[in-house]
mmCIF file of all heavy atoms in Angstrom:
data_model
loop_
_atom_site.group_PDB
_atom_site.id
_atom_site.type_symbol
_atom_site.label_atom_id
_atom_site.label_comp_id
_atom_site.label_asym_id
_atom_site.label_seq_id
_atom_site.Cartn_x
_atom_site.Cartn_y
_atom_site.Cartn_z
ATOM 1 N N PRO W 26 169.943 194.331 77.664
ATOM 2 C CA PRO W 26 169.358 193.359 78.571
ATOM 3 C C PRO W 26 169.495 191.950 78.009
ATOM 4 O O PRO W 26 169.455 191.741 76.809
ATOM 5 C CB PRO W 26 167.866 193.794 78.610
ATOM 6 C CG PRO W 26 167.848 195.194 78.116
ATOM 7 C CD PRO W 26 168.995 195.329 77.175
ATOM 8 N N ARG W 31 169.054 183.283 77.912
ATOM 9 C CA ARG W 31 170.371 183.416 78.563
ATOM 10 C C ARG W 31 170.222 183.791 80.006
ATOM 11 O O ARG W 31 171.196 184.078 80.699
ATOM 12 C CB ARG W 31 171.176 184.506 77.827
ATOM 13 C CG ARG W 31 171.527 184.147 76.403
ATOM 14 C CD ARG W 31 172.563 185.108 75.872
ATOM 15 N NE ARG W 31 172.040 186.432 75.715
ATOM 16 C CZ ARG W 31 171.479 186.866 74.589
ATOM 17 N NH1 ARG W 31 171.351 186.075 73.563
ATOM 18 N NH2 ARG W 31 171.029 188.114 74.513
ATOM 19 N N GLY W 51 158.523 181.372 95.878
ATOM 20 C CA GLY W 51 159.246 181.512 97.137
ATOM 21 C C GLY W 51 160.626 180.883 97.087
ATOM 22 O O GLY W 51 161.311 180.912 96.074
ATOM 23 N N ARG W 96 163.340 204.895 39.209
ATOM 24 C CA ARG W 96 162.420 203.759 39.361
ATOM 25 C C ARG W 96 161.083 204.257 39.904
ATOM 26 O O ARG W 96 160.374 203.547 40.616
ATOM 27 C CB ARG W 96 163.043 202.694 40.310
ATOM 28 C CG ARG W 96 164.403 202.216 39.876
ATOM 29 C CD ARG W 96 164.916 201.048 40.713
ATOM 30 N NE ARG W 96 164.928 201.299 42.135
ATOM 31 C CZ ARG W 96 165.893 201.960 42.772
ATOM 32 N NH1 ARG W 96 166.914 202.454 42.126
ATOM 33 N NH2 ARG W 96 165.809 202.152 44.093
ATOM 34 N N TYR W 138 148.683 194.455 39.357
ATOM 35 C CA TYR W 138 147.294 194.910 39.396
ATOM 36 C C TYR W 138 147.250 196.351 38.897
ATOM 37 O O TYR W 138 148.294 197.029 38.809
ATOM 38 C CB TYR W 138 146.689 194.775 40.784
ATOM 39 C CG TYR W 138 147.092 195.892 41.731
ATOM 40 C CD1 TYR W 138 146.172 196.895 42.068
ATOM 41 C CD2 TYR W 138 148.370 195.931 42.319
ATOM 42 C CE1 TYR W 138 146.556 197.921 42.948
ATOM 43 C CE2 TYR W 138 148.728 196.933 43.175
ATOM 44 C CZ TYR W 138 147.825 197.943 43.483
ATOM 45 O OH TYR W 138 148.182 198.948 44.339
ATOM 46 N N PRO W 144 145.661 210.159 45.414
ATOM 47 C CA PRO W 144 146.351 211.440 45.491
ATOM 48 C C PRO W 144 147.716 211.478 44.813
ATOM 49 O O PRO W 144 148.113 212.520 44.295
ATOM 50 C CB PRO W 144 146.469 211.675 47.008
ATOM 51 C CG PRO W 144 145.233 211.036 47.563
ATOM 52 C CD PRO W 144 145.022 209.793 46.720
ATOM 53 N N THR W 164 154.928 173.067 57.333
ATOM 54 C CA THR W 164 153.779 173.930 57.658
ATOM 55 C C THR W 164 153.709 175.051 56.636
ATOM 56 O O THR W 164 154.145 176.177 56.869
ATOM 57 C CB THR W 164 153.923 174.509 59.081
ATOM 58 O OG1 THR W 164 155.228 175.167 59.203
ATOM 59 C CG2 THR W 164 153.827 173.447 60.142
ATOM 60 N N SER W 180 162.878 214.907 44.528
ATOM 61 C CA SER W 180 162.332 215.842 45.502
ATOM 62 C C SER W 180 160.811 215.979 45.378
ATOM 63 O O SER W 180 160.088 215.961 46.363
ATOM 64 C CB SER W 180 162.984 217.220 45.346
ATOM 65 O OG SER W 180 164.366 217.146 45.601
ATOM 66 N N ALA W 216 158.700 176.368 57.495
ATOM 67 C CA ALA W 216 157.604 177.283 57.171
ATOM 68 C C ALA W 216 157.923 178.048 55.909
ATOM 69 O O ALA W 216 159.039 178.022 55.397
ATOM 70 C CB ALA W 216 157.363 178.247 58.337
ATOM 71 N N ALA W 224 156.444 197.530 44.833
ATOM 72 C CA ALA W 224 156.436 198.837 44.165
ATOM 73 C C ALA W 224 155.399 199.753 44.766
ATOM 74 O O ALA W 224 154.606 199.321 45.626
ATOM 75 C CB ALA W 224 156.160 198.617 42.664
ATOM 76 N N GLU W 227 156.450 204.845 47.520
ATOM 77 C CA GLU W 227 156.535 206.303 47.623
ATOM 78 C C GLU W 227 155.225 206.988 47.214
ATOM 79 O O GLU W 227 154.969 208.117 47.595
ATOM 80 C CB GLU W 227 157.677 206.836 46.724
ATOM 81 C CG GLU W 227 159.045 206.254 47.033
ATOM 82 C CD GLU W 227 159.635 206.788 48.343
ATOM 83 O OE1 GLU W 227 158.923 207.505 49.098
ATOM 84 O OE2 GLU W 227 160.791 206.472 48.624
ATOM 85 N N VAL W 256 168.196 201.121 54.772
ATOM 86 C CA VAL W 256 169.155 200.360 55.593
ATOM 87 C C VAL W 256 170.556 200.426 54.973
ATOM 88 O O VAL W 256 171.348 199.524 55.166
ATOM 89 C CB VAL W 256 168.712 198.894 55.781
ATOM 90 C CG1 VAL W 256 167.426 198.826 56.595
ATOM 91 C CG2 VAL W 256 168.540 198.192 54.439
ATOM 92 N N LEU W 304 157.433 189.928 68.423
ATOM 93 C CA LEU W 304 158.299 189.685 67.280
ATOM 94 C C LEU W 304 159.620 190.439 67.447
ATOM 95 O O LEU W 304 160.703 189.893 67.181
ATOM 96 C CB LEU W 304 157.588 190.119 66.006
ATOM 97 C CG LEU W 304 158.112 189.573 64.661
ATOM 98 C CD1 LEU W 304 158.015 188.062 64.616
ATOM 99 C CD2 LEU W 304 157.313 190.192 63.508
ATOM 100 N N GLU W 314 173.812 190.828 69.155
ATOM 101 C CA GLU W 314 175.235 191.086 68.948
ATOM 102 C C GLU W 314 176.064 189.800 68.942
ATOM 103 O O GLU W 314 177.017 189.701 68.171
ATOM 104 C CB GLU W 314 175.743 192.029 70.046
ATOM 105 C CG GLU W 314 175.198 193.446 69.908
ATOM 106 C CD GLU W 314 175.823 194.364 70.946
ATOM 107 O OE1 GLU W 314 177.052 194.279 71.168
ATOM 108 O OE2 GLU W 314 175.075 195.169 71.540
ATOM 109 N N PHE W 356 169.258 213.118 55.480
ATOM 110 C CA PHE W 356 168.159 213.531 54.622
ATOM 111 C C PHE W 356 168.626 214.230 53.352
ATOM 112 O O PHE W 356 167.808 214.488 52.460
ATOM 113 C CB PHE W 356 167.190 214.404 55.412
ATOM 114 C CG PHE W 356 166.632 213.672 56.623
ATOM 115 C CD1 PHE W 356 167.085 213.973 57.884
ATOM 116 C CD2 PHE W 356 165.686 212.689 56.485
ATOM 117 C CE1 PHE W 356 166.596 213.301 58.991
ATOM 118 C CE2 PHE W 356 165.183 211.988 57.585
ATOM 119 C CZ PHE W 356 165.633 212.302 58.844
ATOM 120 N N TYR W 371 173.855 216.485 46.814
ATOM 121 C CA TYR W 371 172.563 215.959 47.211
ATOM 122 C C TYR W 371 172.206 214.799 46.292
ATOM 123 O O TYR W 371 172.707 214.678 45.180
ATOM 124 C CB TYR W 371 171.478 217.032 47.132
ATOM 125 C CG TYR W 371 171.571 218.084 48.229
ATOM 126 C CD1 TYR W 371 172.470 219.152 48.108
ATOM 127 C CD2 TYR W 371 170.794 218.009 49.363
ATOM 128 C CE1 TYR W 371 172.554 220.115 49.094
ATOM 129 C CE2 TYR W 371 170.868 218.974 50.348
ATOM 130 C CZ TYR W 371 171.747 220.029 50.220
ATOM 131 O OH TYR W 371 171.841 220.981 51.197
ATOM 132 N N GLN W 399 162.342 177.792 60.966
ATOM 133 C CA GLN W 399 162.741 176.466 61.420
ATOM 134 C C GLN W 399 162.143 176.092 62.795
ATOM 135 O O GLN W 399 162.105 174.914 63.148
ATOM 136 C CB GLN W 399 164.255 176.340 61.492
ATOM 137 C CG GLN W 399 164.958 176.518 60.149
ATOM 138 C CD GLN W 399 164.671 175.375 59.197
ATOM 139 O OE1 GLN W 399 163.533 175.161 58.755
ATOM 140 N NE2 GLN W 399 165.693 174.616 58.833
ATOM 141 N N ALA W 400 161.712 177.071 63.549
ATOM 142 C CA ALA W 400 161.127 176.828 64.859
ATOM 143 C C ALA W 400 159.617 176.580 64.760
ATOM 144 O O ALA W 400 159.004 176.770 63.706
ATOM 145 C CB ALA W 400 161.389 178.059 65.752
ATOM 146 N N ALA W 413 137.893 181.802 88.667
ATOM 147 C CA ALA W 413 138.048 181.770 90.113
ATOM 148 C C ALA W 413 139.029 182.846 90.564
ATOM 149 O O ALA W 413 140.018 183.117 89.900
ATOM 150 C CB ALA W 413 138.555 180.399 90.568
ATOM 151 N N ASN W 416 145.363 183.644 93.822
ATOM 152 C CA ASN W 416 146.688 184.244 93.613
ATOM 153 C C ASN W 416 147.568 183.405 92.718
ATOM 154 O O ASN W 416 148.676 183.839 92.372
ATOM 155 C CB ASN W 416 147.373 184.503 94.955
ATOM 156 C CG ASN W 416 146.764 185.699 95.676
ATOM 157 O OD1 ASN W 416 146.442 186.699 95.059
ATOM 158 N ND2 ASN W 416 146.586 185.569 96.978
ATOM 159 N N GLU W 427 153.175 171.022 64.640
ATOM 160 C CA GLU W 427 154.516 170.608 64.226
ATOM 161 C C GLU W 427 154.847 169.185 64.680
ATOM 162 O O GLU W 427 154.642 168.825 65.832
ATOM 163 C CB GLU W 427 155.574 171.578 64.750
ATOM 164 C CG GLU W 427 155.497 172.961 64.158
ATOM 165 C CD GLU W 427 154.470 173.865 64.845
ATOM 166 O OE1 GLU W 427 153.871 173.419 65.853
ATOM 167 O OE2 GLU W 427 154.266 175.000 64.365
ATOM 168 N N VAL W 451 157.407 173.691 80.796
ATOM 169 C CA VAL W 451 156.218 173.006 81.305
ATOM 170 C C VAL W 451 155.945 171.688 80.581
ATOM 171 O O VAL W 451 155.023 170.958 80.948
ATOM 172 C CB VAL W 451 154.957 173.897 81.257
ATOM 173 C CG1 VAL W 451 155.165 175.107 82.177
ATOM 174 C CG2 VAL W 451 154.624 174.321 79.845
ATOM 175 N N THR W 455 148.973 171.451 77.489
ATOM 176 C CA THR W 455 148.228 172.633 77.043
ATOM 177 C C THR W 455 147.623 173.430 78.200
ATOM 178 O O THR W 455 146.720 174.263 77.994
ATOM 179 C CB THR W 455 147.080 172.223 76.071
ATOM 180 O OG1 THR W 455 146.222 171.298 76.720
ATOM 181 C CG2 THR W 455 147.644 171.618 74.800
ATOM 182 N N SER W 462 150.952 185.583 91.053
ATOM 183 C CA SER W 462 149.714 186.296 90.746
ATOM 184 C C SER W 462 149.781 186.998 89.393
ATOM 185 O O SER W 462 150.744 187.704 89.107
ATOM 186 C CB SER W 462 149.406 187.326 91.833
ATOM 187 O OG SER W 462 148.306 188.122 91.457
ATOM 188 N N VAL W 473 158.430 175.054 71.833
ATOM 189 C CA VAL W 473 159.822 174.617 71.685
ATOM 190 C C VAL W 473 159.829 173.284 70.929
ATOM 191 O O VAL W 473 159.007 172.418 71.201
ATOM 192 C CB VAL W 473 160.516 174.425 73.063
ATOM 193 C CG1 VAL W 473 161.984 174.064 72.885
ATOM 194 C CG2 VAL W 473 160.382 175.682 73.904
#
Side-chain angles (χ1 to χ4, degrees):
R31 295 192 293 268
R96 304 187 306 277
Y138 79 105
T164 53
S180 297
E227 303 288 7
V256 294
L304 198 61
E314 291 184 43
F356 301 104
Y371 288 81
Q399 298 293 63
N416 285 319
E427 293 83 5
V451 298
T455 57
S462 174
V473 184

